[in-house]
Amino acid sequence: MSQPHPATSLRLLNISSLPEQAWKNGGGTTREVLCHPAKSGYESFDWRISLAHVQTSGDFSRFPGIDRHIMLIEGESMSLTQGEATHLLHPFKPYAFAGEDPMVCLLPQGPTRDLNLMLRRGRAQGSLQAWQGRSAATTLAAGTHFLYAPKGGYRLQTDTQSWTLEAEQALTGSSTHPLHLEVQADSADAVLVYAYIAPHGTN
């Protein structure tokens, strides 16, 4: 494999190898995938990516000052209720909400697994999306990237490097300039989840 461009640092990550922590209320478990600054706690992180197994319905923990993005990875649906408003979360469709808002989670069709992107307001911003069966070139803006294959496989290639992602693997890292990426799905139903965090100081 060729050496990475000096302005780009990307690495493979095996999601299943990350430690899993049980919730205090017994309602599920969480794997912390990435956090910045590294090893910072809930009160001090700028941004955080995690995967959660949700076993039972219940209230979401509140995170004042945090913009949250959630995406269902496994399971048929998750119902999120805030006051009189209810949003039905479907697989690989992101939903954003303020972390300080009271949110009740209901699991009408059983346990689920979801990806969470948390961004401290005023210190980080980003987005969450998913591509299914995508085979095309794309350009990623400068910043931090998390490309995760929860279902099926993908081949990814930059101008200088290439990777093969199997199910439950991710490619993560940062680039100081826009990154040209060739994306090739192994099958029509293969899914690639992309979380993006903008460079610090971006308006």
Side-chain angles (χ1 to χ4, degrees), residues 158-172:
T158 65
D159 293 336
T160 59
Q161 285 185 288
S162 62
W163 302 264
T164 297
L165 294 186
E166 298 178 355
E168 291 305 305
Q169 286 189 320
L171 184 68
T172 182

Side-chain angles (χ1 to χ4, degrees), residues 43-177:
E43 301 300 322
S44 58
F45 70 77
D46 289 346
W47 56 264
R48 181 176 187 263
I49 297 174
S50 62
L51 280 160
H53 279 278
V54 187
Q55 303 291 336
T56 60
S57 301
D59 295 343
F60 272 8
S61 298
R62 294 197 197 181
F63 293 93
I66 301 296
D67 291 324
R68 297 191 60 177
H69 300 253
I70 186 172
M71 180 184 289
L72 197 63
I73 299 297
E74 290 180 8
E76 295 300 319
S77 64
M78 175 189 288
S79 177
L80 300 178
T81 299
Q82 178 190 351
E84 300 297 320
T86 296
H87 178 82
L88 192 61
L89 199 65
H90 293 290
F92 305 113
K93 302 294 184 182
Y95 180 67
F97 61 98
E100 59 267 26
D101 291 343
M103 189 73 71
V104 179
C105 162
L106 298 176
L107 305 177
Q109 295 173 284
T112 63
R113 189 163 70 114
D114 57 75
L115 181 79
N116 294 275
L117 171 62
M118 297 186 182
L119 305 157
R120 192 169 302 279
R121 205 167 299 135
R123 281 162 54 182
Q125 57 183 325
S127 60
L128 186 61
Q129 60 184 298
W131 304 318
Q132 184 168 357
R134 185 182 180 113
S135 294
T138 188
T139 299
L140 308 180
T144 299
H145 315 290
F146 175 72
L147 296 135
Y148 166 48
K151 181 181 178 183
Y154 267 85
R155 292 185 298 278
L156 306 176
Q157 183 172 342
T158 65
D159 293 336
T160 59
Q161 285 185 288
S162 62
W163 302 264
T164 297
L165 294 186
E166 298 178 355
E168 291 305 305
Q169 286 189 320
L171 184 68
T172 182
S174 60
S175 60
T176 58
H177 300 283

